[in-house]
Amino acid sequence: MSFASLGLIDPLLKNAQRLNYQTPTPIQLKAIPAVLDGRDVMASAQTGTGKTAGFALPLLQRLVQQGPRVSSNRARVLVLVPTRELAEQVLQSFTDYGAGLDLRFLAAYGGVSINPQMMKLRKGVDVLVATPGRLLDLHRQNAVQFDQVETLVLDEADRMLDLGFARELDAVCAALPAARQTLLFSATFTDEIRAMAASLLRSPVDISVSPPNVTASKIRQWVVPVDKRNKPDLFMHLVAEKKWTHALVFVKTRNGADYLSVMLDEAGYAVDTIHGDKPQPARLRALERFKTGEVQMLVATDVAARGLDIDALPLVINVDLPIKPQDYVHRIGRTGRAGSSGVAVSLVCADEAPQLAAIEALIGQTLRREEVPGFEADHRVPETSATGQIIKKPKKPKKPKVWQAAAGGEDTSLSGPNPFNVAKPRSKPAGKPTGKPSAASRKPADKPVGGRGKRPR
Ligand code: AMP
């Protein structure tokens, strides 16, 4: 089936063609006609399925057909997204798909000055893509009013709830006109999302293009069991041995991201980091440089897991598993996008077994394990299964040991070295408190990692 057969108008067809979109993806096949019809939609679509065009193309068409009639400080389509990165990405999609149309688009998010956003809203915009907090700020300051909103899109609704935006979402929805079209997209469908859908959507078209929560099938995934302290060395070993030259690397903490980036930099890779503490312009710059290939390795925390759209990224490396299993799906969704194949490798240590089991339960498969000679784990990673169970508990180590997961998922070292749990990258002076219980025996932050680990010859 072609885009033309979905009833899209010429300028949109040309734009899709210019982007080399030959045929609609499954979600586009279902969502485009429903959105054109003015129906509410509830779509369960994993990342990389082409969902943005699934709502943007038909909404652009409706805007064009209804004519330019937006007033100042108003928006006609409101797209709510969880992160600034996703806001920029969705804005870019509207700009690409709507090229040549006489429509105005704006992305509004926090972390940058509100004034330019207020200025741009003065003329009114046809599509406003926004994060919930900044949108409410703008609304409270009368920079945007909602009386002309015809369509509300909740993009990555699960992630918005994960990030604690439930109250903001309620406040926005309460302020919108009751007679409107609402489209809800979510990678995962928890009870909370279903409740939200039930309260916001009216007789929605229910779209599910692949079983919810299942990772893209073309992604080759495996797990490398390893002791926590050897993760950085194993990571560098794999990168060198497999000649990986362009990868998105996920770690749990900002310190971990800085730490690996120093190691990569010292090994001669062009590297950058992206995490929540980095100012927005620096994050966007890092992403741009990664997309153009100027940066080979982008080391990111989960803040970057959603909203990055990088075409044909061959490789995602999870140096740490995410706390929430859904984030695994989002992370590895960076690769294997729109049908291309990809690779996702996860370095897993013993105390991550519960996370691994939860991931396997979510994706409905047991991930293949592949040990790397020289880096075999002393602390065996317990066997897990796709039922979410940890099959065998590891034998008790002889000495009372070592890593324990605290309630919030933070690692707490009670004794022994934990070189990956550092406060600062190695190139900076050590000695600042890490905020963790101090252990006299802990290796200083600036000492090379993996000293006790086995290295391949
Ligand atoms: P999304 O899931 O909306 O983030 O889209 C994932 C990727 O698929 C983006 O890089 C889009 O440019 C691309 N894409 C979307 N629709 C199509 C299509 N019909 N054919 C080829 N690529 C597409």
Side-chain angles (χ1 to χ4, degrees):
M1 212 173 190
S2 65
F3 278 106
S5 63
L6 295 176
L8 290 174
I9 53 176
D10 246 18
L12 295 173
L13 293 176
K14 287 204 178 104
N15 288 340
Q17 216 169 22
R18 189 173 39 80
L19 293 166
N20 207 15
Y21 293 4
Q22 314 280 351
T23 49
T25 64
I27 191 161
Q28 291 163 3
L29 279 177
K30 293 183 181 167
I32 289 172
V35 178
L36 281 176
D37 266 359
R39 298 283 307 272
D40 282 5
V41 165
M42 163 163 145
S44 151
Q46 66 193 89
T47 241
T49 50
K51 66 183 161 63
T52 317
F55 64 79
L57 286 169
L59 288 178
L60 286 163
Q61 175 147 332
R62 282 168 63 85
L63 287 169
V64 170
Q65 289 175 338
Q66 285 156 2
R69 55 187 165 93
V70 69
S71 322
S72 61
N73 298 105
R74 305 290 198 284
R76 294 159 75 191
V77 168
L78 194 54
V79 185
L80 289 183
V81 293
T83 63
R84 309 151 182 197
E85 282 82 9
L86 188 59
E88 281 293 343
Q89 183 190 311
V90 171
L91 172 71
Q92 188 59 51
S93 297
F94 271 100
T95 310
D96 288 343
Y97 303 146
L101 305 177
D102 185 21
L103 296 171
R104 283 198 291 272
F105 314 122
L106 176 67
Y109 42 80
V112 294
S113 167
I114 199 167
N115 292 334
Q117 296 168 4
M118 292 173 97
M119 296 281 284
K120 286 189 183 142
L121 279 166
R122 278 200 194 145
K123 280 188 181 167
V125 294
D126 295 286
V127 179
L128 176 59
V129 185
T131 51
R134 176 53 60 96
L135 180 69
L136 280 178
D137 280 350
L138 288 163
H139 186 242
R140 280 188 209 109
Q141 299 188 40
N142 281 329
V144 64
Q145 289 166 38
F146 294 146
D147 53 335
Q148 285 183 12
V149 172
E150 292 152 14
T151 304
L152 168 70
V153 182
L154 298 163
D155 195 10
E156 303 202 348
D158 50 352
R159 184 66 165 172
M160 285 198 274
L161 293 185
D162 284 353
L163 293 177
F165 284 132
R167 277 173 56 187
E168 282 88 347
L169 290 181
D170 284 347
V172 171
C173 291
L176 291 175
R180 60 161 199 268
Q181 181 183 36
T182 306
L183 316 176
L184 186 148
F185 291 81
S186 192
T188 52
F189 267 77
T190 55
D191 291 346
E192 215 180 347
I193 294 285
R194 287 186 193 286
M196 185 172 157
S199 75
L200 292 180
L201 305 175
R202 283 170 311 173
S203 320
V205 177
D206 198 337
I207 300 176
S208 175
V209 289
S210 58
N213 303 340
V214 174
T215 49
S217 57
K218 285 201 175 175
I219 301 172
R220 209 151 50 82
Q221 310 166 56
W222 75 94
V223 160
V224 186
V226 62
D227 286 334
K228 184 187 198 89
R229 64 172 184 271
N230 291 333
K231 276 188 174 190
D233 275 0
L234 171 61
F235 166 72
M236 294 305 294
H237 170 77
L238 284 171
V239 166
E241 190 199 54
K242 308 236 179 232
K243 299 189 171 52
W244 287 332
T245 52
H246 197 217
L248 186 54
V249 183
F250 282 105
V251 293
K252 193 156 75 179
T253 63
R254 176 174 52 82
N255 286 337
D258 286 341
Y259 195 88
L260 284 192
S261 86
V262 169
M263 289 186 89
L264 285 163
D265 179 59
E266 284 174 357
Y269 292 91
V271 59
D272 209 337
T273 57
I274 181 166
H275 49 65
D277 289 351
K278 214 167 186 176
Q280 179 63 1
R283 280 153 70 169
L284 290 174
R285 210 165 40 241
L287 182 56
E288 265 323 297
R289 292 172 68 218
F290 184 62
K291 279 183 178 180
T292 59
E294 191 190 329
V295 160
Q296 297 171 285
M297 301 284 181
L298 186 62
V299 188
T301 58
D302 268 321
V303 76
R306 296 279 185 110
L308 299 189
D309 184 19
I310 303 154
D311 283 337
L313 176 69
L315 178 64
V316 164
I317 308 169
N318 294 309
V319 172
D320 296 315
L321 286 181
I323 301 294
K324 293 190 175 194
Q326 289 89 344
D327 284 337
Y328 177 84
V329 179
H330 302 309
R331 283 183 182 186
I332 76 162
R334 305 298 115 211
T335 174
R337 285 170 90 78
S340 66
S341 62
V343 171
V345 187
S346 303
L347 313 191
V348 179
C349 62
D351 63 356
E352 288 175 308
Q355 285 142 268
L356 179 61
I359 287 165
E360 290 177 337
L362 182 69
I363 65 176
Q365 72 184 90
T366 309
L367 293 170
R368 183 166 57 84
R369 295 183 180 205
E370 221 173 73
E371 287 208 309
V372 173
F375 289 95
E376 295 88 349
D378 286 341
H379 304 284
R380 199 168 53 78
V381 181
E383 275 175 47
T384 49
S385 83
T387 59
Q389 283 173 333
I390 297 176
I391 297 170
K392 275 189 210 158
K393 297 254 185 257
K395 277 190 213 144
K396 269 195 174 169
K398 281 180 192 141
K399 288 183 225 157
K401 260 276 177 178
V402 151
W403 320 118
Q404 289 187 353
E410 285 281 301
D411 294 311
T412 315
S413 169
L414 298 181
S415 65
N418 184 358
F420 194 45
N421 206 357
V422 292
K424 290 189 168 227
R426 291 179 303 160
S427 62
K428 296 187 186 156
K432 238 186 142 184
T434 61
K436 315 240 177 227
S438 71
S441 57
R442 180 179 294 146
K443 192 175 289 186
D446 61 346
K447 221 170 163 196
V449 292
R452 292 194 335 175
K454 290 166 267 177
R455 281 170 179 279
R457 299 263 150 225

